[in-house]
Amino acid sequence: MENSGNDDGEETRNHTISSISSVASSDGYRLFGRQGSLRQFLGGGKAADILLWKRRSVSFGIIVIATVAWLIIEKSGLSLLLICLDILLILIVVLFIHANYAAYRNRQIETFPELELSEEMISTVAASFRVKINNVLLLAHDITIGQDFHLFFKVVICLWLLSAIGSYCSFFTLAYVGTVLSVTLPAFYGKYEQHVDKYCGMMHRKFSQHYRIVDESVMRRIPLFMQR
């Protein structure tokens, strides 16, 4: 039984490596293996338009707001809790003055909007959230018990890289950099798509060659060594 499991795992690894090599060797390599347009890959709609700078005012506004928020949080020396409390205090005072001014001028005070959610919407969101949580738990289970050593190795490398990056910058700086890159990189890629796909395809082929060597010489032997 153990040998059949090892054979199945080896066949799966060979299929994965061959698929990676076939994609990398093709002339029509496209980043992230997407089939449709970049706008379709980003989900379409307003979000894709913002990321691709089709709505320049909104995209530029996101960068400006993120920059101001980062400067306030990182350079002012104030804690996030204190900043949130100050903003909430200012908002309450402004709304109080506005309501009393409207009453003084005999104007009708705007009613507060109510949040309305249907049972069908709540059930759909809860079911989708449950499926995603179960998939994450199943993935974590496979990683911890060692069924997929390749995935375990990738997760460890990613966590180590995040830990190394986190030692040099704070969470808010990392979030700010991620926000700016998420707004600027898709537009840059959309403008120079062919050139980026060309050089990424070259790097992908090199990576596939090195990955095959490491997989054959090291990673395949580790699960056999751990079973002894």
Side-chain angles (χ1 to χ4, degrees):
M1 296 295 292
E2 294 181 356
N3 293 329
S4 62
N6 294 332
D7 295 336
D8 294 338
E10 186 175 354
E11 292 178 359
T12 303
R13 289 192 294 269
N14 292 333
H15 177 71
T16 303
I17 296 173
S18 61
S19 61
I20 293 175
S21 301
S22 62
V23 173
S25 60
S26 61
D27 295 332
Y29 177 83
R30 308 186 75 178
L31 195 62
F32 304 115
R34 58 186 180 84
Q35 301 296 328
S37 63
L38 181 60
R39 189 175 185 275
Q40 294 176 349
F41 178 77
L42 295 175
K46 296 181 179 179
D49 292 339
I50 293 173
L51 295 177
L52 294 176
W53 285 71
K54 302 294 184 181
R55 306 176 66 181
R56 294 179 179 273
S57 59
V58 180
S59 302
F60 183 74
I62 291 176
I63 295 179
V64 171
I65 293 174
T67 303
V68 172
W70 177 75
L71 290 174
I72 292 175
I73 294 175
E74 290 292 330
K75 302 302 180 180
S76 64
L78 301 176
S79 63
L80 179 62
L81 179 60
L82 183 58
I83 294 174
C84 292
L85 291 176
D86 291 339
I87 295 175
L88 183 61
L89 176 61
I90 295 173
L91 181 62
I92 291 176
V93 171
V94 170
L95 292 177
F96 177 80
I97 295 174
H98 175 71
N100 283 271
Y101 178 77
Y104 175 76
R105 298 294 298 270
N106 294 326
R107 295 181 179 178
Q108 185 179 1
I109 302 176
E110 298 179 358
T111 58
F112 192 80
E114 296 181 358
L115 178 63
E116 296 182 359
L117 295 175
S118 62
E119 294 183 0
E120 181 180 359
M121 182 184 298
I122 296 176
S123 300
T124 303
V125 173
S128 177
F129 188 73
R130 178 181 59 83
V131 171
K132 293 180 180 180
I133 291 296
N134 288 333
N135 291 334
V136 172
L137 293 176
L138 181 61
L139 183 64
H141 180 265
D142 293 339
I143 294 173
T144 53
I145 65 177
Q147 288 187 355
D148 193 341
F149 181 79
H150 290 73
L151 182 60
F152 168 78
F153 181 76
K154 293 177 182 178
V155 171
V156 170
I157 294 297
C158 291
L159 292 178
W160 177 78
L161 289 175
L162 290 176
S163 176
I165 295 174
S167 63
Y168 292 99
C169 61
S170 64
F171 171 77
F172 297 105
T173 301
L174 187 62
Y176 169 70
V177 173
T179 302
V180 174
L181 292 179
S182 64
V183 177
T184 56
L185 286 183
F188 177 81
Y189 173 67
K191 186 176 181 180
Y192 303 100
E193 181 177 352
Q194 296 181 352
H195 299 284
V196 174
D197 287 340
K198 176 182 177 181
Y199 290 108
C200 286
M202 296 171 59
M203 291 188 294
H204 198 278
R205 288 191 291 270
K206 293 293 183 180
F207 174 78
S208 300
Q209 296 174 359
H210 293 295
Y211 180 83
R212 186 186 300 108
I213 296 174
V214 174
D215 182 78
E216 292 177 353
S217 59
V218 178
M219 299 184 68
R220 290 188 183 183
R221 300 179 181 179
I222 294 179
L224 298 177
F225 177 78
M226 296 176 62
Q227 291 177 0
R228 295 179 180 178

